PDB file of all heavy atoms in Angstrom:
ATOM      1  N   GLY A 180       0.755  -1.229  -0.003  1.00  0.00           N
ATOM      2  CA  GLY A 180       0.012  -0.015  -0.048  1.00  0.00           C
ATOM      3  C   GLY A 180       0.809   1.288   0.025  1.00  0.00           C
ATOM      4  O   GLY A 180       0.338   2.267  -0.325  1.00  0.00           O
ATOM      5  N   GLU A 181       2.093   1.136   0.359  1.00  0.00           N
ATOM      6  CA  GLU A 181       2.968   2.367   0.375  1.00  0.00           C
ATOM      7  C   GLU A 181       3.941   2.341  -0.776  1.00  0.00           C
ATOM      8  O   GLU A 181       4.827   3.205  -0.887  1.00  0.00           O
ATOM      9  CB  GLU A 181       3.708   2.405   1.714  1.00  0.00           C
ATOM     10  CG  GLU A 181       2.795   2.435   2.862  1.00  0.00           C
ATOM     11  CD  GLU A 181       1.678   3.427   2.812  1.00  0.00           C
ATOM     12  OE1 GLU A 181       1.959   4.580   2.632  1.00  0.00           O
ATOM     13  OE2 GLU A 181       0.462   2.956   2.956  1.00  0.00           O
ATOM     14  N   LYS A 182       3.777   1.463  -1.699  1.00  0.00           N
ATOM     15  CA  LYS A 182       4.731   1.293  -2.842  1.00  0.00           C
ATOM     16  C   LYS A 182       4.175   2.102  -4.028  1.00  0.00           C
ATOM     17  O   LYS A 182       2.971   2.602  -4.081  1.00  0.00           O
ATOM     18  CB  LYS A 182       4.934  -0.135  -3.238  1.00  0.00           C
ATOM     19  CG  LYS A 182       5.464  -1.021  -2.232  1.00  0.00           C
ATOM     20  CD  LYS A 182       6.907  -0.821  -1.946  1.00  0.00           C
ATOM     21  CE  LYS A 182       7.573  -1.916  -1.109  1.00  0.00           C
ATOM     22  NZ  LYS A 182       6.993  -2.108   0.227  1.00  0.00           N
ATOM     23  N   THR A 183       5.080   2.383  -4.979  1.00  0.00           N
ATOM     24  CA  THR A 183       4.653   3.049  -6.251  1.00  0.00           C
ATOM     25  C   THR A 183       3.802   2.042  -7.066  1.00  0.00           C
ATOM     26  O   THR A 183       3.929   0.838  -6.914  1.00  0.00           O
ATOM     27  CB  THR A 183       5.846   3.538  -7.051  1.00  0.00           C
ATOM     28  OG1 THR A 183       6.476   2.352  -7.579  1.00  0.00           O
ATOM     29  CG2 THR A 183       6.695   4.411  -6.397  1.00  0.00           C
ATOM     30  N   SER A 184       3.001   2.580  -8.064  1.00  0.00           N
ATOM     31  CA  SER A 184       2.231   1.740  -8.849  1.00  0.00           C
ATOM     32  C   SER A 184       3.045   0.832  -9.709  1.00  0.00           C
ATOM     33  O   SER A 184       2.724  -0.320  -9.958  1.00  0.00           O
ATOM     34  CB  SER A 184       1.340   2.653  -9.777  1.00  0.00           C
ATOM     35  OG  SER A 184       0.330   3.386  -9.066  1.00  0.00           O
ATOM     36  N   GLY A 185       4.208   1.306 -10.156  1.00  0.00           N
ATOM     37  CA  GLY A 185       5.082   0.526 -10.937  1.00  0.00           C
ATOM     38  C   GLY A 185       5.648  -0.701 -10.184  1.00  0.00           C
ATOM     39  O   GLY A 185       5.669  -1.863 -10.734  1.00  0.00           O
ATOM     40  N   ARG A 186       5.985  -0.484  -9.011  1.00  0.00           N
ATOM     41  CA  ARG A 186       6.472  -1.639  -8.192  1.00  0.00           C
ATOM     42  C   ARG A 186       5.388  -2.617  -7.811  1.00  0.00           C
ATOM     43  O   ARG A 186       5.611  -3.771  -7.919  1.00  0.00           O
ATOM     44  CB  ARG A 186       7.135  -1.145  -6.896  1.00  0.00           C
ATOM     45  CG  ARG A 186       8.476  -0.456  -7.102  1.00  0.00           C
ATOM     46  CD  ARG A 186       9.187  -0.251  -5.721  1.00  0.00           C
ATOM     47  NE  ARG A 186      10.546   0.364  -5.969  1.00  0.00           N
ATOM     48  CZ  ARG A 186      11.630  -0.443  -6.268  1.00  0.00           C
ATOM     49  NH1 ARG A 186      11.503  -1.652  -6.397  1.00  0.00           N
ATOM     50  NH2 ARG A 186      12.789   0.146  -6.393  1.00  0.00           N
ATOM     51  N   ILE A 187       4.150  -2.096  -7.602  1.00  0.00           N
ATOM     52  CA  ILE A 187       3.079  -2.977  -7.253  1.00  0.00           C
ATOM     53  C   ILE A 187       2.760  -3.906  -8.449  1.00  0.00           C
ATOM     54  O   ILE A 187       2.574  -5.045  -8.314  1.00  0.00           O
ATOM     55  CB  ILE A 187       1.795  -2.130  -6.858  1.00  0.00           C
ATOM     56  CG1 ILE A 187       2.092  -1.414  -5.486  1.00  0.00           C
ATOM     57  CG2 ILE A 187       0.578  -3.026  -6.725  1.00  0.00           C
ATOM     58  CD1 ILE A 187       1.118  -0.329  -5.209  1.00  0.00           C
ATOM     59  N   LEU A 188       2.692  -3.257  -9.656  1.00  0.00           N
ATOM     60  CA  LEU A 188       2.480  -4.061 -10.822  1.00  0.00           C
ATOM     61  C   LEU A 188       3.562  -5.113 -11.123  1.00  0.00           C
ATOM     62  O   LEU A 188       3.315  -6.256 -11.415  1.00  0.00           O
ATOM     63  CB  LEU A 188       2.434  -3.117 -12.083  1.00  0.00           C
ATOM     64  CG  LEU A 188       2.263  -3.783 -13.467  1.00  0.00           C
ATOM     65  CD1 LEU A 188       0.911  -4.564 -13.456  1.00  0.00           C
ATOM     66  CD2 LEU A 188       2.232  -2.740 -14.598  1.00  0.00           C
ATOM     67  N   SER A 189       4.849  -4.680 -10.914  1.00  0.00           N
ATOM     68  CA  SER A 189       5.901  -5.594 -11.040  1.00  0.00           C
ATOM     69  C   SER A 189       5.821  -6.806 -10.092  1.00  0.00           C
ATOM     70  O   SER A 189       5.993  -7.967 -10.489  1.00  0.00           O
ATOM     71  CB  SER A 189       7.222  -4.928 -10.867  1.00  0.00           C
ATOM     72  OG  SER A 189       8.368  -5.793 -10.913  1.00  0.00           O
ATOM     73  N   TYR A 190       5.616  -6.516  -8.819  1.00  0.00           N
ATOM     74  CA  TYR A 190       5.509  -7.616  -7.886  1.00  0.00           C
ATOM     75  C   TYR A 190       4.279  -8.536  -8.167  1.00  0.00           C
ATOM     76  O   TYR A 190       4.399  -9.711  -7.921  1.00  0.00           O
ATOM     77  CB  TYR A 190       5.367  -7.036  -6.433  1.00  0.00           C
ATOM     78  CG  TYR A 190       6.540  -6.188  -5.947  1.00  0.00           C
ATOM     79  CD1 TYR A 190       6.322  -5.104  -5.053  1.00  0.00           C
ATOM     80  CD2 TYR A 190       7.811  -6.447  -6.417  1.00  0.00           C
ATOM     81  CE1 TYR A 190       7.365  -4.416  -4.599  1.00  0.00           C
ATOM     82  CE2 TYR A 190       8.883  -5.724  -5.916  1.00  0.00           C
ATOM     83  CZ  TYR A 190       8.589  -4.675  -5.014  1.00  0.00           C
ATOM     84  OH  TYR A 190       9.717  -3.873  -4.530  1.00  0.00           O
ATOM     85  N   THR A 191       3.218  -7.865  -8.587  1.00  0.00           N
ATOM     86  CA  THR A 191       2.040  -8.719  -8.878  1.00  0.00           C
ATOM     87  C   THR A 191       2.131  -9.564 -10.027  1.00  0.00           C
ATOM     88  O   THR A 191       1.741 -10.746 -10.031  1.00  0.00           O
ATOM     89  CB  THR A 191       0.856  -7.766  -9.006  1.00  0.00           C
ATOM     90  OG1 THR A 191       0.698  -6.952  -7.871  1.00  0.00           O
ATOM     91  CG2 THR A 191      -0.606  -8.618  -9.154  1.00  0.00           C
ATOM     92  N   LEU A 192       2.754  -9.099 -11.056  1.00  0.00           N
ATOM     93  CA  LEU A 192       3.050  -9.919 -12.276  1.00  0.00           C
ATOM     94  C   LEU A 192       3.982 -11.027 -11.880  1.00  0.00           C
ATOM     95  O   LEU A 192       3.798 -12.201 -12.420  1.00  0.00           O
ATOM     96  CB  LEU A 192       3.625  -9.075 -13.346  1.00  0.00           C
ATOM     97  CG  LEU A 192       2.733  -8.036 -13.993  1.00  0.00           C
ATOM     98  CD1 LEU A 192       3.495  -7.197 -14.988  1.00  0.00           C
ATOM     99  CD2 LEU A 192       1.517  -8.764 -14.694  1.00  0.00           C
ATOM    100  N   ALA A 193       4.991 -10.824 -11.051  1.00  0.00           N
ATOM    101  CA  ALA A 193       5.790 -11.895 -10.680  1.00  0.00           C
ATOM    102  C   ALA A 193       5.070 -13.051  -9.943  1.00  0.00           C
ATOM    103  O   ALA A 193       5.313 -14.180 -10.142  1.00  0.00           O
ATOM    104  CB  ALA A 193       6.986 -11.340  -9.734  1.00  0.00           C
ATOM    105  N   ALA A 194       4.152 -12.484  -9.104  1.00  0.00           N
ATOM    106  CA  ALA A 194       3.371 -13.510  -8.318  1.00  0.00           C
ATOM    107  C   ALA A 194       2.420 -14.303  -9.243  1.00  0.00           C
ATOM    108  O   ALA A 194       2.206 -15.547  -9.091  1.00  0.00           O
ATOM    109  CB  ALA A 194       2.486 -12.771  -7.328  1.00  0.00           C
ATOM    110  N   MET A 195       1.843 -13.656 -10.301  1.00  0.00           N
ATOM    111  CA  MET A 195       1.013 -14.367 -11.244  1.00  0.00           C
ATOM    112  C   MET A 195       1.799 -15.417 -11.951  1.00  0.00           C
ATOM    113  O   MET A 195       1.322 -16.600 -12.149  1.00  0.00           O
ATOM    114  CB  MET A 195       0.378 -13.376 -12.250  1.00  0.00           C
ATOM    115  CG  MET A 195      -0.594 -12.315 -11.689  1.00  0.00           C
ATOM    116  SD  MET A 195      -1.971 -12.977 -10.834  1.00  0.00           S
ATOM    117  CE  MET A 195      -1.470 -12.803  -9.047  1.00  0.00           C
ATOM    118  N   ARG A 196       3.022 -15.109 -12.400  1.00  0.00           N
ATOM    119  CA  ARG A 196       3.884 -16.020 -13.084  1.00  0.00           C
ATOM    120  C   ARG A 196       4.268 -17.244 -12.231  1.00  0.00           C
ATOM    121  O   ARG A 196       4.223 -18.401 -12.592  1.00  0.00           O
ATOM    122  CB  ARG A 196       5.069 -15.387 -13.630  1.00  0.00           C
ATOM    123  CG  ARG A 196       4.834 -14.411 -14.751  1.00  0.00           C
ATOM    124  CD  ARG A 196       6.105 -13.875 -15.389  1.00  0.00           C
ATOM    125  NE  ARG A 196       5.884 -13.006 -16.489  1.00  0.00           N
ATOM    126  CZ  ARG A 196       5.951 -11.703 -16.478  1.00  0.00           C
ATOM    127  NH1 ARG A 196       6.239 -11.040 -15.294  1.00  0.00           N
ATOM    128  NH2 ARG A 196       5.599 -10.988 -17.570  1.00  0.00           N
ATOM    129  N   TYR A 197       4.457 -16.924 -10.922  1.00  0.00           N
ATOM    130  CA  TYR A 197       4.731 -18.061 -10.022  1.00  0.00           C
ATOM    131  C   TYR A 197       3.575 -19.008  -9.807  1.00  0.00           C
ATOM    132  O   TYR A 197       3.703 -20.165  -9.849  1.00  0.00           O
ATOM    133  CB  TYR A 197       5.159 -17.431  -8.656  1.00  0.00           C
ATOM    134  CG  TYR A 197       5.549 -18.516  -7.674  1.00  0.00           C
ATOM    135  CD1 TYR A 197       6.729 -19.310  -7.769  1.00  0.00           C
ATOM    136  CD2 TYR A 197       4.714 -18.708  -6.511  1.00  0.00           C
ATOM    137  CE1 TYR A 197       6.974 -20.261  -6.815  1.00  0.00           C
ATOM    138  CE2 TYR A 197       5.071 -19.647  -5.566  1.00  0.00           C
ATOM    139  CZ  TYR A 197       6.132 -20.429  -5.703  1.00  0.00           C
ATOM    140  OH  TYR A 197       6.486 -21.450  -4.786  1.00  0.00           O
ATOM    141  N   LEU A 198       2.353 -18.415  -9.609  1.00  0.00           N
ATOM    142  CA  LEU A 198       1.215 -19.270  -9.355  1.00  0.00           C
ATOM    143  C   LEU A 198       0.800 -20.038 -10.614  1.00  0.00           C
ATOM    144  O   LEU A 198       0.409 -21.166 -10.613  1.00  0.00           O
ATOM    145  CB  LEU A 198       0.032 -18.334  -8.921  1.00  0.00           C
ATOM    146  CG  LEU A 198       0.232 -17.862  -7.523  1.00  0.00           C
ATOM    147  CD1 LEU A 198      -0.868 -16.751  -7.195  1.00  0.00           C
ATOM    148  CD2 LEU A 198       0.014 -18.981  -6.505  1.00  0.00           C
ATOM    149  N   ILE A 199       0.921 -19.440 -11.789  1.00  0.00           N
ATOM    150  CA  ILE A 199       0.599 -20.048 -13.072  1.00  0.00           C
ATOM    151  C   ILE A 199       1.637 -21.253 -13.248  1.00  0.00           C
ATOM    152  O   ILE A 199       1.215 -22.378 -13.704  1.00  0.00           O
ATOM    153  CB  ILE A 199       0.663 -19.102 -14.275  1.00  0.00           C
ATOM    154  CG1 ILE A 199      -0.562 -18.130 -14.098  1.00  0.00           C
ATOM    155  CG2 ILE A 199       0.607 -19.806 -15.558  1.00  0.00           C
ATOM    156  CD1 ILE A 199      -0.455 -16.986 -15.063  1.00  0.00           C
ATOM    157  N   ALA A 200       2.870 -21.053 -12.931  1.00  0.00           N
ATOM    158  CA  ALA A 200       3.896 -22.170 -13.088  1.00  0.00           C
ATOM    159  C   ALA A 200       3.619 -23.231 -12.106  1.00  0.00           C
ATOM    160  O   ALA A 200       4.088 -24.410 -12.403  1.00  0.00           O
ATOM    161  CB  ALA A 200       5.251 -21.564 -12.871  1.00  0.00           C
ATOM    162  N   ARG A 201       2.856 -22.975 -11.092  1.00  0.00           N
ATOM    163  CA  ARG A 201       2.500 -23.977 -10.088  1.00  0.00           C
ATOM    164  C   ARG A 201       1.115 -24.590 -10.381  1.00  0.00           C
ATOM    165  O   ARG A 201       0.446 -25.204  -9.519  1.00  0.00           O
ATOM    166  CB  ARG A 201       2.586 -23.480  -8.678  1.00  0.00           C
ATOM    167  CG  ARG A 201       3.950 -22.925  -8.246  1.00  0.00           C
ATOM    168  CD  ARG A 201       4.947 -24.023  -8.079  1.00  0.00           C
ATOM    169  NE  ARG A 201       4.531 -24.970  -7.023  1.00  0.00           N
ATOM    170  CZ  ARG A 201       4.651 -24.784  -5.752  1.00  0.00           C
ATOM    171  NH1 ARG A 201       5.267 -23.646  -5.321  1.00  0.00           N
ATOM    172  NH2 ARG A 201       4.250 -25.725  -4.896  1.00  0.00           N
ATOM    173  N   ASP A 202       0.636 -24.503 -11.608  1.00  0.00           N
ATOM    174  CA  ASP A 202      -0.574 -25.162 -12.033  1.00  0.00           C
ATOM    175  C   ASP A 202      -1.777 -24.537 -11.509  1.00  0.00           C
ATOM    176  O   ASP A 202      -2.809 -25.240 -11.212  1.00  0.00           O
ATOM    177  CB  ASP A 202      -0.560 -26.683 -11.843  1.00  0.00           C
ATOM    178  CG  ASP A 202       0.568 -27.368 -12.606  1.00  0.00           C
ATOM    179  OD1 ASP A 202       0.826 -26.919 -13.727  1.00  0.00           O
ATOM    180  OD2 ASP A 202       1.158 -28.303 -12.061  1.00  0.00           O
ATOM    181  N   CYS A 203      -1.901 -23.249 -11.278  1.00  0.00           N
ATOM    182  CA  CYS A 203      -3.136 -22.612 -10.836  1.00  0.00           C
ATOM    183  C   CYS A 203      -3.943 -22.201 -12.096  1.00  0.00           C
ATOM    184  O   CYS A 203      -3.423 -21.380 -12.986  1.00  0.00           O
ATOM    185  CB  CYS A 203      -2.865 -21.401 -10.047  1.00  0.00           C
ATOM    186  SG  CYS A 203      -2.107 -21.773  -8.419  1.00  0.00           S
ATOM    187  N   LYS A 204      -5.049 -22.701 -12.188  1.00  0.00           N
ATOM    188  CA  LYS A 204      -5.932 -22.441 -13.404  1.00  0.00           C
ATOM    189  C   LYS A 204      -6.749 -21.161 -13.144  1.00  0.00           C
ATOM    190  O   LYS A 204      -7.180 -20.450 -14.077  1.00  0.00           O
ATOM    191  CB  LYS A 204      -6.922 -23.589 -13.628  1.00  0.00           C
ATOM    192  CG  LYS A 204      -8.002 -23.393 -14.650  1.00  0.00           C
ATOM    193  CD  LYS A 204      -7.433 -23.442 -16.066  1.00  0.00           C
ATOM    194  CE  LYS A 204      -8.523 -23.367 -17.136  1.00  0.00           C
ATOM    195  NZ  LYS A 204      -7.891 -23.411 -18.458  1.00  0.00           N
ATOM    196  N   MET A 205      -6.989 -20.844 -11.865  1.00  0.00           N
ATOM    197  CA  MET A 205      -7.777 -19.648 -11.456  1.00  0.00           C
ATOM    198  C   MET A 205      -6.999 -19.078 -10.316  1.00  0.00           C
ATOM    199  O   MET A 205      -6.620 -19.709  -9.353  1.00  0.00           O
ATOM    200  CB  MET A 205      -9.190 -20.140 -11.011  1.00  0.00           C
ATOM    201  CG  MET A 205     -10.054 -19.032 -10.617  1.00  0.00           C
ATOM    202  SD  MET A 205     -11.720 -19.725 -10.204  1.00  0.00           S
ATOM    203  CE  MET A 205     -12.644 -18.166  -9.912  1.00  0.00           C
ATOM    204  N   ILE A 206      -6.928 -17.678 -10.343  1.00  0.00           N
ATOM    205  CA  ILE A 206      -6.244 -16.993  -9.321  1.00  0.00           C
ATOM    206  C   ILE A 206      -7.010 -15.859  -8.803  1.00  0.00           C
ATOM    207  O   ILE A 206      -7.608 -15.076  -9.580  1.00  0.00           O
ATOM    208  CB  ILE A 206      -4.869 -16.387  -9.862  1.00  0.00           C
ATOM    209  CG1 ILE A 206      -3.985 -17.509 -10.405  1.00  0.00           C
ATOM    210  CG2 ILE A 206      -4.134 -15.594  -8.765  1.00  0.00           C
ATOM    211  CD1 ILE A 206      -2.749 -17.030 -11.113  1.00  0.00           C
ATOM    212  N   ILE A 207      -7.149 -15.777  -7.402  1.00  0.00           N
ATOM    213  CA  ILE A 207      -7.895 -14.622  -6.785  1.00  0.00           C
ATOM    214  C   ILE A 207      -6.825 -13.692  -6.323  1.00  0.00           C
ATOM    215  O   ILE A 207      -5.990 -14.044  -5.438  1.00  0.00           O
ATOM    216  CB  ILE A 207      -8.737 -15.140  -5.661  1.00  0.00           C
ATOM    217  CG1 ILE A 207      -9.657 -16.330  -6.103  1.00  0.00           C
ATOM    218  CG2 ILE A 207      -9.514 -13.983  -5.113  1.00  0.00           C
ATOM    219  CD1 ILE A 207     -10.640 -15.987  -7.099  1.00  0.00           C
ATOM    220  N   VAL A 208      -6.767 -12.478  -6.861  1.00  0.00           N
ATOM    221  CA  VAL A 208      -5.959 -11.483  -6.225  1.00  0.00           C
ATOM    222  C   VAL A 208      -6.629 -10.898  -5.012  1.00  0.00           C
ATOM    223  O   VAL A 208      -7.470 -10.044  -5.106  1.00  0.00           O
ATOM    224  CB  VAL A 208      -5.643 -10.380  -7.276  1.00  0.00           C
ATOM    225  CG1 VAL A 208      -4.800  -9.272  -6.731  1.00  0.00           C
ATOM    226  CG2 VAL A 208      -5.015 -10.963  -8.542  1.00  0.00           C
ATOM    227  N   ALA A 209      -6.285 -11.480  -3.800  1.00  0.00           N
ATOM    228  CA  ALA A 209      -6.955 -11.122  -2.616  1.00  0.00           C
ATOM    229  C   ALA A 209      -6.487  -9.719  -2.201  1.00  0.00           C
ATOM    230  O   ALA A 209      -7.200  -9.038  -1.385  1.00  0.00           O
ATOM    231  CB  ALA A 209      -6.655 -12.160  -1.538  1.00  0.00           C
ATOM    232  N   CYS A 210      -5.369  -9.215  -2.599  1.00  0.00           N
ATOM    233  CA  CYS A 210      -4.832  -7.952  -2.250  1.00  0.00           C
ATOM    234  C   CYS A 210      -5.667  -6.871  -2.907  1.00  0.00           C
ATOM    235  O   CYS A 210      -5.682  -6.746  -4.239  1.00  0.00           O
ATOM    236  CB  CYS A 210      -3.383  -7.889  -2.582  1.00  0.00           C
ATOM    237  SG  CYS A 210      -2.633  -6.284  -2.198  1.00  0.00           S
ATOM    238  N   ASN A 211      -6.270  -5.971  -2.087  1.00  0.00           N
ATOM    239  CA  ASN A 211      -6.997  -4.820  -2.696  1.00  0.00           C
ATOM    240  C   ASN A 211      -6.075  -3.898  -3.454  1.00  0.00           C
ATOM    241  O   ASN A 211      -6.413  -3.302  -4.454  1.00  0.00           O
ATOM    242  CB  ASN A 211      -7.682  -4.080  -1.580  1.00  0.00           C
ATOM    243  CG  ASN A 211      -8.906  -4.840  -1.027  1.00  0.00           C
ATOM    244  OD1 ASN A 211     -10.064  -4.511  -1.346  1.00  0.00           O
ATOM    245  ND2 ASN A 211      -8.678  -5.808  -0.157  1.00  0.00           N
ATOM    246  N   THR A 212      -4.908  -3.619  -2.870  1.00  0.00           N
ATOM    247  CA  THR A 212      -3.900  -2.722  -3.527  1.00  0.00           C
ATOM    248  C   THR A 212      -3.564  -3.302  -4.942  1.00  0.00           C
ATOM    249  O   THR A 212      -3.565  -2.580  -5.891  1.00  0.00           O
ATOM    250  CB  THR A 212      -2.696  -2.523  -2.646  1.00  0.00           C
ATOM    251  OG1 THR A 212      -3.087  -1.979  -1.408  1.00  0.00           O
ATOM    252  CG2 THR A 212      -1.740  -1.583  -3.349  1.00  0.00           C
ATOM    253  N   ALA A 213      -3.154  -4.585  -4.944  1.00  0.00           N
ATOM    254  CA  ALA A 213      -2.789  -5.148  -6.272  1.00  0.00           C
ATOM    255  C   ALA A 213      -4.003  -5.209  -7.213  1.00  0.00           C
ATOM    256  O   ALA A 213      -3.844  -5.017  -8.388  1.00  0.00           O
ATOM    257  CB  ALA A 213      -2.306  -6.555  -6.008  1.00  0.00           C
ATOM    258  N   THR A 214      -5.238  -5.404  -6.664  1.00  0.00           N
ATOM    259  CA  THR A 214      -6.387  -5.452  -7.569  1.00  0.00           C
ATOM    260  C   THR A 214      -6.555  -4.004  -8.149  1.00  0.00           C
ATOM    261  O   THR A 214      -6.815  -3.857  -9.381  1.00  0.00           O
ATOM    262  CB  THR A 214      -7.671  -5.734  -6.771  1.00  0.00           C
ATOM    263  OG1 THR A 214      -7.568  -7.121  -6.252  1.00  0.00           O
ATOM    264  CG2 THR A 214      -8.921  -5.653  -7.638  1.00  0.00           C
ATOM    265  N   SER A 215      -6.388  -2.950  -7.266  1.00  0.00           N
ATOM    266  CA  SER A 215      -6.702  -1.632  -7.863  1.00  0.00           C
ATOM    267  C   SER A 215      -5.625  -1.213  -8.849  1.00  0.00           C
ATOM    268  O   SER A 215      -5.879  -0.495  -9.780  1.00  0.00           O
ATOM    269  CB  SER A 215      -6.714  -0.711  -6.659  1.00  0.00           C
ATOM    270  OG  SER A 215      -5.481  -0.494  -5.980  1.00  0.00           O
ATOM    271  N   ILE A 216      -4.398  -1.631  -8.732  1.00  0.00           N
ATOM    272  CA  ILE A 216      -3.309  -1.084  -9.590  1.00  0.00           C
ATOM    273  C   ILE A 216      -3.113  -2.034 -10.746  1.00  0.00           C
ATOM    274  O   ILE A 216      -2.837  -1.647 -11.818  1.00  0.00           O
ATOM    275  CB  ILE A 216      -1.980  -0.994  -8.674  1.00  0.00           C
ATOM    276  CG1 ILE A 216      -2.170   0.043  -7.557  1.00  0.00           C
ATOM    277  CG2 ILE A 216      -0.850  -0.631  -9.656  1.00  0.00           C
ATOM    278  CD1 ILE A 216      -2.593   1.419  -7.958  1.00  0.00           C
ATOM    279  N   ALA A 217      -3.174  -3.349 -10.535  1.00  0.00           N
ATOM    280  CA  ALA A 217      -2.662  -4.290 -11.498  1.00  0.00           C
ATOM    281  C   ALA A 217      -3.670  -5.155 -12.197  1.00  0.00           C
ATOM    282  O   ALA A 217      -3.390  -5.708 -13.314  1.00  0.00           O
ATOM    283  CB  ALA A 217      -1.602  -5.235 -10.821  1.00  0.00           C
TER     284      ALA A 217
END
Protein backbone atom coordinates (compact mmCIF):
# COMPACT_ATOMS: atom_id res chain seq x y z
CA GLY A 1 0.00 0.00 0.00
CA GLU A 2 2.95 2.37 0.37
CA LYS A 3 4.73 1.33 -2.86
CA THR A 4 4.62 3.05 -6.26
CA SER A 5 2.19 1.76 -8.87
CA GLY A 6 5.08 0.50 -10.97
CA ARG A 7 6.50 -1.61 -8.17
CA ILE A 8 3.07 -2.97 -7.26
CA LEU A 9 2.49 -4.02 -10.86
CA SER A 10 5.94 -5.63 -11.09
CA TYR A 11 5.51 -7.60 -7.86
CA THR A 12 1.99 -8.70 -8.82
CA LEU A 13 3.06 -9.92 -12.26
CA ALA A 14 5.86 -11.92 -10.68
CA ALA A 15 3.34 -13.52 -8.33
CA MET A 16 1.01 -14.36 -11.23
CA ARG A 17 3.84 -16.07 -13.10
CA TYR A 18 4.75 -18.05 -10.01
CA LEU A 19 1.20 -19.27 -9.40
CA ILE A 20 0.63 -20.09 -13.05
CA ALA A 21 3.87 -22.11 -13.10
CA ARG A 22 2.51 -24.03 -10.10
CA ASP A 23 -0.57 -25.14 -12.07
CA CYS A 24 -3.11 -22.60 -10.88
CA LYS A 25 -5.98 -22.42 -13.37
CA MET A 26 -7.78 -19.69 -11.47
CA ILE A 27 -6.20 -16.98 -9.32
CA ILE A 28 -7.88 -14.69 -6.82
CA VAL A 29 -5.95 -11.47 -6.26
CA ALA A 30 -6.96 -11.08 -2.63
CA CYS A 31 -4.86 -7.94 -2.22
CA ASN A 32 -7.01 -4.82 -2.67
CA THR A 33 -3.95 -2.74 -3.54
CA ALA A 34 -2.83 -5.17 -6.24
CA THR A 35 -6.39 -5.40 -7.53
CA SER A 36 -6.67 -1.63 -7.81
CA ILE A 37 -3.32 -1.14 -9.53
CA ALA A 38 -2.66 -4.32 -11.51
